[in-house]
């Protein structure tokens, strides 16, 4: 996977994608803003949600042990997985033990994070996504590009094509007279999926929350397909990130109120399923819970970054992010795209890989993500913190990056106003030289540099004019004129 | 009240007219603003790029330069935000308790221009004259880091001759973002181009904002598009008057339309 700036380029050039994304994110932004505006005590609710998750993370070990006890007491089998390979192995083993060659899946970020579908395929087990958007992505042989709306980058004409082409290869084909009406498309998906629900012996899910005191897992969804998976098959395997734990049932309250308004812009969630171990004669008769670390303890160990583990995957930050809106989800090279992905990936994987290291810089630090985050994750703060980790990891490089040299030089000149004065005089001279490259004039008459060659300058001037530095800096003017007092009210206006 | 101007490194080197406008404006309002010559930069370029160690001497220079003033006013929402919200972090990381104390003393006194005018001086009508159609972009750091709210609008609405037009999707980032503009130039330009499109949709002659960095970016895109829209800093609009160049010290603006406006009065 290339680093973000490169990966973003193809999305930026794709006009259909740009249009789909801008349309979808602005629609959902408006919906969210409207329903959040209805809640008078929204800020208090955010604080309450953040506090619940923060407290849970503080004593994570205790709560996890408690969760294991409650789950076991209710007849579930608990497995611990340190990484993706261990988790995938556990799921495959359980499925194989039941002779399953296919499983139905509830939409789950954790299973995508560990690449479960691909791992099961290697064991000859087909994993069928049952969430409508995930189904579109799976049938389209595509990657999800959004946490909540994985097919956000597709429009309905594209969906129709995918259904017609691919459904028949893996099950019930789409009807030949399929139109691109959303209801008709949903109807075809329903028929296709029903066969799979009724046939599958094993289901795989994630969980939005795991309640330690009762051993209850919670799945929040909009379509009801998840509930079909959670109740019909005989065996249920739930892969749950360890940060999903909440100590008590009552603490779900703020979270279940914050989530739907932030994520789908709905007042209440359509389907909230809770299941607690095994109930004789009702639902799955064998329940396995895989508690997954896969970098979460690494994130937990980072003082500033650990707040990212509060994330309830509502995707509000994606919808609010101007960078995500242009570059799309795939550019982040992970199942966690957008602002949360830009911090979660480096936190869980650690810095050092060029792709991961590019993510904290994939933000203009505009703050829109923090403004909408229901659990108040200060994403800009974590981004800056992670940037400092990336920089620090290169401090001992034998050949420093041009940027590091530039920053050290800037720090040197900003460390003392006299040095800054010299630099400004030099920049005035350099500016007059640079304006010779395709000299141009800004609206209003100030002269500007056109396209300037060289790495940093070309990146700016490729598509933007750059004003030429003025002949005289502010500080030089102040000194020359005693702050304008000795100037008779005229200055040369800085135009060169 | 001793008031210091924090001109910011970008204004100092690239947009001195904005600093002169602040001086002219504040003097007109009876504030004898000083310019502590020891000032350099708010350290934001280093902090936001991840060079926290490099930021330490810059923050130290900052607090030394502005110690002892009752208020520090700056024509930049971004730099005010940096002083108020990032200096503490840099000082803590340096482990220097003296620096942390100096930051705690100085940073709450830093005001962005519109905050200073409305909250400290208590004025919304600064007696300005600017006979043009204008649209206002609330830069992200003014909007979210500082929460300047509608103060700039209140000030603009009281400028004689000025017609203020609503900017569609005003609260979306323009795409400047400091080094983001260079590190992720393609995405930055895509964001800037959308902002420029919205500006053009308003039909305004002038785009105004409280941060020259954002204006330099959007203005650079508008200029390359030959869009015929000028960008002007809020301070320069608030400083312009019907008396024009014969007015108080500070002199002519970098922006000829201001002079033109004055010319019409002559
Ligand atoms: S970081 Fe916040 S806004 Fe983004 S997905 Fe997580 S909870 Fe939602």
């Amino acid at each position: 996977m290339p680093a973000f700036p490169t990966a973003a380029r193809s999305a930026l050039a794709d006009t259909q994608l740009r249009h789909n994304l801008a349309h979808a994110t602005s629609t959902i932004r408006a919906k969210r803003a409207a329903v959040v505006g209805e809640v008078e005590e929204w800020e208090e609710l955010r604080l309450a949600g953040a506090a619940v998750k923060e407290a849970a993370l503080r004593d994570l070990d205790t709560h996890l042990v408690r969760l294991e006890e409650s789950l076991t007491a209710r007849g579930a089998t608990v497995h611990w997985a340190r990484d993706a390979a261990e988790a995938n192995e556990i799921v495959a083993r359980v499925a194989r033990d039941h002779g399953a060659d296919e499983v139905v899946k509830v939409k789950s970020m954790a299973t995508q994070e560990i690449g479960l579908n691909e791992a099961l395929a290697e064991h000859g087990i087909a994993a069928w996504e049952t969430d409508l958007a995930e189904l579109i992505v799976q049938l389209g042989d595509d990657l999800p590009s959004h946490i909540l709306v994985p097919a956000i980058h597709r429009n309905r004409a594209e969906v129709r094509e995918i259904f017609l082409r691919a459904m028949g290869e893996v099950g019930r084909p789409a009807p030949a007279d399929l139109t691109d009406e959303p209801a008709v498309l949903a109807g075809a998906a329903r028929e296709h999926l029903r066969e799979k629900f009724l046939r599958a012996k094993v289901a795989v899910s994630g969980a939005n929350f795991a309640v330690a005191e009762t051993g209850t897992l919670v799945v929040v969804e909009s379509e009801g397909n998840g509930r079909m998976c959670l109740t019909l098959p005989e065996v249920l395997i739930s892969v749950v990130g360890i940060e999903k734990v909440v100590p008590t049932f009552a603490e779900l309250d703020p979270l279940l109120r914050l989530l739907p308004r932030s994520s789908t812009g709905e007042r209440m969630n359509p389907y909230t399923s809770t299941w607690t171990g095994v109930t004789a004669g009702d639902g799955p008769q064998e329940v396995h819970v895989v508690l997954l670390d896969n970098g979460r303890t690494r994130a937990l160990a980072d003082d500033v970054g650990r707040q990212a583990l509060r994330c309830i995957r509502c995707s509000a930050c994606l919808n609010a992010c101007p960078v995500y809106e242009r570059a799309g989800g795939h550019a982040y090279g992970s199942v966690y795209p957008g602002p949360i992905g830009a911090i979660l990936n480096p936190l869980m994987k650690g810095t050092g890989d060029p792709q991961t290291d590019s993510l904290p810089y994939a933000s203009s630090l505009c703050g829109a993500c923090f403004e909408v985050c229901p659990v108040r994750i200060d994403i800009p703060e974590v981004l800056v913190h992670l940037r400092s980790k990336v920089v620090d990891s290169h401090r001992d490089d034998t050949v420093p990056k041009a940027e590091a040299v530039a920053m050290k030089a800037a720090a040197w000149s900003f460390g003392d106003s006299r040095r800054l004065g010299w630099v400004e005089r030099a920049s005035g001279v350099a500016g007059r030289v640079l304006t010779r490259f395709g000299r141009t004039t800004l609206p209003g008459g100030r002269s500007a540099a056109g396209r300037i060659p060289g790495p940093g300058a070309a990146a700016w001037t490729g598509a933007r004019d750059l004003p030429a530095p003025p002949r005289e800096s502010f500080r030089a003017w102040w000194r020359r004129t005693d702050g304008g007092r000795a100037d008779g009210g005229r200055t040369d206006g800085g135009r060169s | 009240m001793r008031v210091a101007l924090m001109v910011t490194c970008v204004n100092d080197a690239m947009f001195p007219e904005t600093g002169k406008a602040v001086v002219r404006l504040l003097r007109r309002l009876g504030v004898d603003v000083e310019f502590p010559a020891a000032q350099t930069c708010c350290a934001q370029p280093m902090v936001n790029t991840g060079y926290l160690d490099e930021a330490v001497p810059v923050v130290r220079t900052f607090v030394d330069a502005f110690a002892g003033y009752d208020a520090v006013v700056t024509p930049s929402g971004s730099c005010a935000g940096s002083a108020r919200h990032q200096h503490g972090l840099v000082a803590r990381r340096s482990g220097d308790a003296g620096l942390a104390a100096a930051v705690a003393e100085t940073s709450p006194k830093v005001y962005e221009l519109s905050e200073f005018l409305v909250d400290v001086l208590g004025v919304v009508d600064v007696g300005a004259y600017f006979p043009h159609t204008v649209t206002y972009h609330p830069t992200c750091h003014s909007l979210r880091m500082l929460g300047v709210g509608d103060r700039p609008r209140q000030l603009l609405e009281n400028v004689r001759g000025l017609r203020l037009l609503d900017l569609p999707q005003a609260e979306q980032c323009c795409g400047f973002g400091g080094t983001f503009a260079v590190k992720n130039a393609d995405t930055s330009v895509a964001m800037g181009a959308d902002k420029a499109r919205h500006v053009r949709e308003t039909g305004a002659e002038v785009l105004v904002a409280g941060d020259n960095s954002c204006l330099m970016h959007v203005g650079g895109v508008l200029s390359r598009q030959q869009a015929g829209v000028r960008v002007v800093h809020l301070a320069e609009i608030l400083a312009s008057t019907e008396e024009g160049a014969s007015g108080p010290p500070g002199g002519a603006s970098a922006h000829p339309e201001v002079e033109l406006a004055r010319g019409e009065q002559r």
Side-chain angles (χ1 to χ4, degrees):
Chain A
M1 187 71 199
F4 187 87
T6 312
R9 210 165 288 144
S10 58
L12 289 166
D14 184 340
T15 52
Q16 182 67 64
L17 176 83
R18 287 277 294 276
H19 180 83
N20 294 353
L21 278 170
H23 178 74
T25 54
S26 68
T27 308
I28 195 160
R29 275 204 298 273
K31 262 180 89 180
R32 178 205 160 270
V35 297
V36 162
E38 293 171 354
V39 184
E40 251 172 58
E41 76 294 7
W42 182 255
E43 201 47 42
E44 287 76 50
L45 200 56
R46 279 178 89 202
L47 287 163
V52 164
K53 292 288 283 185
E54 200 54 39
L57 290 170
R58 204 159 37 233
D59 297 308
L60 190 61
D61 46 352
T62 326
H63 300 310
L64 284 170
V65 170
R66 179 112 191 263
L67 176 67
E68 179 178 33
E69 284 164 8
S70 327
L71 279 166
T72 314
R74 297 300 301 260
T77 309
V78 174
H79 311 259
W80 297 85
R82 269 171 301 207
D83 57 20
E86 283 188 9
N88 289 331
E89 200 47 48
I90 294 164
V91 178
R93 184 164 21 109
V94 175
R96 256 202 331 257
D97 287 350
H98 290 84
D101 59 2
E102 61 174 9
V103 300
V104 285
K105 282 190 68 202
V106 187
K107 177 178 175 339
S108 136
M109 296 308 297
T111 58
Q112 277 177 11
E113 173 192 324
I114 59 176
L116 179 67
N117 294 8
E118 296 73 19
L120 288 178
E122 282 174 23
H123 288 272
I125 301 168
W128 306 121
E129 295 291 350
T130 67
D131 173 83
L132 180 55
E134 290 292 355
L135 177 72
I136 295 167
V137 169
Q138 189 174 38
L139 291 175
D141 207 7
D142 197 359
L143 290 168
S145 67
H146 190 279
I147 294 179
L148 180 77
V149 199
I152 195 168
H153 56 296
R154 297 290 198 183
N155 63 28
R156 56 192 193 170
E158 293 172 287
V159 172
R160 172 179 174 271
E161 243 174 72
I162 291 170
F163 279 10
L164 279 174
R165 191 179 66 232
M167 268 184 176
E169 290 169 22
V170 294
R172 187 187 173 103
D177 61 347
L178 188 72
T179 69
D180 67 0
E181 284 299 302
V184 174
L185 292 171
R190 179 180 294 125
E191 295 297 318
H192 178 82
L193 288 172
R194 178 149 303 161
E195 269 188 14
K196 299 204 186 307
F197 289 135
L198 293 174
R199 204 171 57 213
K201 277 198 351 214
V202 177
V204 177
S205 84
N208 293 83
F209 306 102
V211 183
E213 76 172 340
T214 54
T216 304
L217 301 182
V218 184
V219 156
V220 176
E221 44 134 5
S222 301
E223 295 167 6
N225 291 335
R227 180 165 289 182
M228 301 281 269
C229 297
L230 296 171
T231 49
L232 284 175
E234 291 159 29
V235 181
L236 173 62
I237 312 168
S238 302
V239 182
V240 183
I242 53 172
E243 84 284 16
K244 297 286 177 185
V245 72
V246 226
T248 66
F249 210 90
E251 281 162 303
L252 290 175
D253 172 64
L255 302 174
L256 287 176
R257 284 197 283 159
L258 287 163
L259 183 53
R261 284 186 202 255
S262 304
S263 107
T264 46
E266 289 165 307
R267 297 187 178 88
M268 199 181 165
N269 191 65
Y271 293 87
T272 302
S273 305
T274 65
W275 68 104
T276 309
V278 175
T279 308
D282 184 17
Q285 294 303 295
E286 202 178 310
V287 171
H288 294 265
V289 179
V290 184
L291 293 175
L292 174 73
D293 180 348
N294 205 32
R296 285 159 176 77
T297 47
R298 183 206 287 267
L300 194 66
D302 186 309
D303 308 346
V304 182
R306 63 184 297 177
Q307 56 183 309
L309 294 179
R310 299 207 292 253
C311 176
I312 56 175
R313 312 279 190 260
C314 72
S315 68
C317 60
L318 277 67
N319 300 327
C321 178
V323 173
Y324 175 88
E325 183 182 327
R326 273 54 179 214
H330 295 154
Y332 295 82
S334 155
V335 296
Y336 301 111
I340 183 63
I343 60 173
L344 203 54
N345 288 302
L347 285 166
M348 298 206 309
K349 296 176 187 167
T351 44
D353 167 75
Q355 196 273 331
T356 314
D357 286 0
S358 73
L359 295 178
Y361 293 94
S363 165
S364 63
L365 302 180
C366 78
C369 47
F370 179 34
E371 188 175 57
V372 295
C373 177
V375 285
R376 292 183 56 94
I377 301 171
D378 191 340
I379 297 177
E381 180 193 17
V382 182
L383 286 166
V384 169
H385 165 73
L386 290 170
R387 290 176 185 188
S388 79
K389 294 197 108 178
V390 172
V391 167
D392 288 346
S393 70
H394 289 287
R395 286 201 184 272
D396 297 330
D397 288 3
T398 34
V399 184
K401 279 201 294 186
E403 175 192 281
V405 175
M407 282 295 163
K408 283 198 197 328
W412 177 81
S413 51
F414 289 148
D416 181 294
S417 59
R418 264 170 321 160
R419 293 181 210 147
L420 181 59
W422 306 331
V423 173
E424 282 168 354
R425 275 199 298 282
S427 101
V429 174
R432 285 195 288 284
V433 175
L434 283 176
T435 45
R436 309 219 169 272
F437 290 100
R439 171 189 275 278
T440 167
T441 306
L442 294 175
R446 180 166 172 178
S447 73
R451 290 166 207 273
I452 306 175
W460 180 281
T461 60
R464 288 162 288 202
D465 287 332
L466 182 67
R471 281 180 185 281
E472 185 180 51
S473 69
F474 179 85
R475 78 179 55 244
W477 168 80
W478 184 281
R479 201 173 39 212
R480 180 173 62 78
T481 66
D482 185 22
R485 291 178 192 92
D487 199 28
R490 290 300 308 184
T491 70
D492 111 303
R495 271 161 282 132
S496 47
Chain B
M1 184 171 59
R2 281 188 75 202
V3 179
L5 166 65
M6 164 187 152
V7 77
T8 83
C9 64
V10 167
N11 288 325
D12 183 14
M14 293 294 286
F15 304 98
E17 299 314 317
T18 297
K20 294 176 200 171
V22 176
V23 173
R24 205 155 66 231
L25 171 66
L26 292 183
R27 285 198 186 137
R28 197 168 76 216
L29 296 171
V31 176
D32 184 24
V33 64
E34 297 173 47
F35 177 73
Q39 66 179 280
T40 58
C41 165
C42 69
Q44 191 176 190
M46 289 99 218
V47 175
N48 283 357
T49 317
Y51 292 79
L52 294 187
D53 290 350
E54 284 75 2
V56 176
V58 185
V59 170
R60 194 169 282 130
T61 304
F62 184 96
V63 291
D64 287 349
F66 294 110
Y69 286 93
D70 302 303
V72 179
V73 57
T74 182
S76 164
S78 193
C79 304
S82 163
R84 294 224 296 254
H85 299 292
Q86 295 185 329
H87 285 189
L89 188 136
V90 173
R92 270 198 304 283
R93 179 169 144 127
S94 76
D96 179 342
L99 182 61
V103 164
E105 174 73 24
T106 310
S107 62
K109 293 183 202 151
V110 178
Y111 298 92
E112 181 271 340
L113 178 65
S114 73
E115 291 179 318
F116 183 77
L117 294 172
V118 177
D119 300 354
V120 180
L121 297 186
V123 289
V124 287
D125 185 346
V126 297
Y129 173 74
F130 192 77
H132 298 281
T133 52
V134 167
T135 192
Y136 170 69
H137 168 57
T139 58
C140 298
H141 289 175
S142 298
L143 189 70
R144 301 193 186 90
M145 234 182 178
L146 291 182
V148 300
D150 68 346
R151 291 176 185 86
R153 284 194 77 95
Q154 290 178 37
L155 291 159
L156 287 169
E157 275 159 10
N158 282 291
V159 173
R160 266 162 289 288
L162 184 146
R163 223 174 102 227
L164 190 59
L165 304 173
D166 279 336
L167 179 64
Q169 300 199 26
E171 300 195 346
Q172 247 208 11
C173 178
C174 71
F176 171 64
T179 43
F180 176 78
V182 173
K183 277 177 171 285
N184 279 283
D186 296 330
T187 309
S188 165
V189 167
M191 290 161 71
D194 284 347
K195 182 60 72 181
R197 178 163 48 81
H198 293 311
V199 170
R200 294 164 71 163
E201 275 165 26
T202 66
E205 298 164 67
V206 173
L207 170 66
V208 60
D211 267 291
N212 270 329
S213 319
C214 306
L215 287 177
M216 178 169 71
H217 165 69
V218 184
V221 174
L222 284 165
S223 164
R224 190 63 63 87
Q225 294 175 346
Q226 311 283 8
V229 180
R230 312 183 282 288
V231 297
V232 181
H233 191 285
L234 177 67
E236 296 179 44
I237 290 182
L238 297 181
S240 37
T241 59
E242 299 183 45
E243 292 78 38
S246 58
S253 167
H255 303 284
E257 73 282 354
V258 177
E259 290 173 36
L260 185 65
R262 290 168 181 152
E264 284 163 7
Q265 296 306 308
R266 279 189 201 121

